[in-house]
Amino acid sequence: MKLVSNFIFIFLLGLPLLAQANVTELFQEVQRIQKGPFGLNYLQGTRSRTTVRSGASPSGSFLFQAAYRNDSAQSLVSEFGVYTGNLFTTNYYELMGEFVYNNPQGSFSLDHQTLVASGQAAIEKANQMILHWVLEKYYVGHFPDSGITRGFNTRGIAGSEFEQEYATYFFNFYLSLIKNSYQYLPAYLLAKQSPIVNSSSLAESRQLIKDSYDFFAQSWGPSDSRVRGLYRLRNAIHNNLSENVLKMIEDYLSANSWYGRDGHTYLQRIHRMLTEYFNASPEDLVTIANNAGLVNLKVAAEHLITAGVNAESLFLLSEALVEAKQELTTNSIPWDKKAKALSGIASTCDYLNKETIKLGAIDSKTKGLTLLNMIFVEGLLIKDNWIYFYEEMNRTENESASSLMFDILDIASMTLDEVFGSNLTTWITASGESSMEQFRDDTLKSSSLNSVSVMLNQ
């Protein structure tokens, strides 16, 4: 079988010089606005919308409260296809307006099934939204002093209860129309940071320890003993995450009483989030799979309880995850249940990641196949590549399983480059922040590829 890569990474090409200057100027204009990419907050009804400041109620049935993109942010979209100010409420409503009512700025009733039936034109635009959405979330998390971040920190930019509701609408629609892994990957990444999945704790922990280390290293210098301790914590959380890191944090706080005494709280927050992450159990997976309606995933989770957590039972769980993903991206799961199914898949994959890494070196095909399945479920391998490597792994000897993982790592990272390459280039150009390029490595480290890397070094 021919290996598929289709690697088209155009980072060095970028935009034409005039376009580079224009997108940068417009991006900086958005940054200078008090609310970043957002305009006034509106109350959206089915027949009209009114500003929150007006005190008037919209006509028709009330739908949500949120701030739409301002004129500068709209220009970024129309002129360069760069989406900022991404919210589930306004993005979904815009898509419905354009592809159901032919009026993206209008007021209308929700018609979910007609949007799902709208076809590829809608999914192509939604895919562009999601690609920039994921990049914007990364930007907001890494540039806290930017105007765009300031906009998202504005009180009441969108009602959380409406974001929860419309996130479900959005993923139900999107997952009903996607055709390939290149469209699935950004949806998976966005879902893990969305209201449908409470699995952002690992990424947030990594960001908090990075920010904490950078702050103290700048204040006291990297050679200070207190900073060196934070450096060890940062590396443990980023590169070789295990439950041992909880004891490392406890030991650091015990030996450095100044940390809590001076009002610092990041390490305590990280400890709480990682404790919750590591405490997930097979019983939790049964509940998650049951709520998501994923019958075979529930059976595999129940098998973990009876057989215990070992290489074979984790492999069977990974097989059930692959089946669940296949059901998700076909018509096997009803369109209005797809968001819940994706939530269950993502939460289960998080559990599988943390348990698989405990198995030690990749010394068997069973471990190799489990990791391969995880990478596919996360969207970092397209289906043809997953099939190819699955057959190769089955043909290889146990002691050679780890060698094949190096090729899998390469192809998986190429998939990320192909999906985000040109859009990442645009964000780097527009923002002037070359460190946005770190999105690539940080995303890979937050995936099952990190488990592969750790296990290859054992």
Side-chain angles (χ1 to χ4, degrees), residues 50-269:
T50 59
T51 65
V52 172
R53 290 179 181 177
S54 71
S57 298
S59 58
S61 300
F62 176 69
L63 295 174
F64 61 84
Q65 176 268 315
Y68 286 87
R69 293 183 185 90
N70 57 35
D71 290 343
S72 297
Q74 287 284 16
S75 295
L76 267 179
V77 173
S78 60
E79 295 181 29
F80 301 102
V82 176
Y83 287 87
T84 58
N86 291 289
L87 298 171
F88 284 102
T89 46
T90 52
N91 276 1
Y92 185 75
Y93 205 65
E94 177 185 331
L95 287 166
M96 181 160 291
E98 181 172 351
F99 294 101
V100 176
Y101 295 96
N102 198 30
N103 182 7
Q105 305 304 319
S107 297
F108 35 78
S109 300
L110 298 175
D111 185 352
H112 307 300
Q113 286 183 283
T114 301
L115 181 59
V116 169
S118 63
Q120 285 306 298
I123 199 66
E124 287 173 8
K125 180 167 183 174
N127 183 243
Q128 282 303 304
M129 275 184 177
I130 288 184
L131 289 167
H132 289 271
W133 206 334
V134 172
L135 292 169
E136 182 180 46
K137 280 185 173 291
Y138 185 84
Y139 182 85
V140 167
H142 287 75
F143 301 97
D145 298 324
S146 70
I148 289 178
T149 304
R150 183 177 64 244
F152 275 96
N153 290 337
T154 301
R155 185 173 180 269
I157 208 73
S160 59
E161 68 275 28
F162 305 117
E163 282 293 283
Q164 172 81 48
E165 177 184 359
Y166 279 72
T168 298
Y169 296 156
F170 189 96
F171 285 110
N172 280 341
F173 143 72
Y174 185 84
L175 294 166
S176 297
L177 292 173
I178 60 172
K179 297 297 183 184
N180 56 58
S181 295
Y182 299 131
Q183 294 173 325
Y184 173 86
L185 172 60
Y188 185 89
L189 294 175
L190 179 62
K192 286 173 66 65
Q193 303 178 74
S194 79
I196 72 166
V197 179
N198 185 25
S199 63
S200 61
S201 59
L202 193 55
E204 186 177 354
S205 296
R206 285 177 164 139
Q207 184 59 40
L208 287 174
I209 191 61
K210 176 184 180 298
D211 291 344
S212 185
Y213 170 78
D214 289 347
F215 173 80
F216 289 110
Q218 186 174 12
S219 300
W220 298 333
S223 61
D224 185 278
S225 61
R226 296 164 295 184
V227 178
R228 288 201 304 272
L230 288 172
Y231 178 78
R232 288 189 288 272
L233 284 176
R234 187 195 68 173
N235 287 353
I237 293 172
H238 274 269
N239 301 325
N240 191 14
L241 186 64
S242 71
E243 289 182 78
N244 294 334
V245 77
L246 297 175
K247 181 66 163 52
M248 291 176 65
I249 295 173
E250 293 163 7
D251 289 345
Y252 184 90
L253 290 173
S254 176
N256 293 272
S257 58
W258 60 270
Y259 190 90
R261 186 178 63 243
D262 292 355
H264 303 294
T265 61
Y266 277 17
L267 288 182
Q268 297 89 327
R269 287 172 59 191

Side-chain angles (χ1 to χ4, degrees), residues 28 80 85 122 173 199-200 202 216 236 257 282 296 311 313 405 416 420 435 443 451:
Q28 294 308 314
F80 301 102
F173 143 72
S199 63
S200 61
L202 193 55
F216 289 110
S257 58
N296 289 337
S313 61
M405 295 308 302
L416 182 69
F420 284 97
S435 56
T443 301
S451 300

Side-chain angles (χ1 to χ4, degrees), residues 411-457:
I411 298 299
S413 62
M414 286 181 180
T415 302
L416 182 69
D417 288 337
E418 182 159 352
V419 172
F420 284 97
S422 61
N423 291 301
L424 178 58
T425 300
T426 300
W427 267 83
I428 293 171
T429 301
S431 66
E433 298 286 359
S434 59
S435 56
M436 267 291 288
E437 188 180 353
Q438 189 65 28
F439 164 82
R440 180 181 184 274
D441 288 341
D442 287 347
T443 301
L444 295 176
K445 283 182 178 178
S446 298
S447 74
S448 54
L449 299 192
N450 183 66
S451 300
V452 175
S453 296
V454 171
M455 294 171 73
L456 283 173
N457 289 316

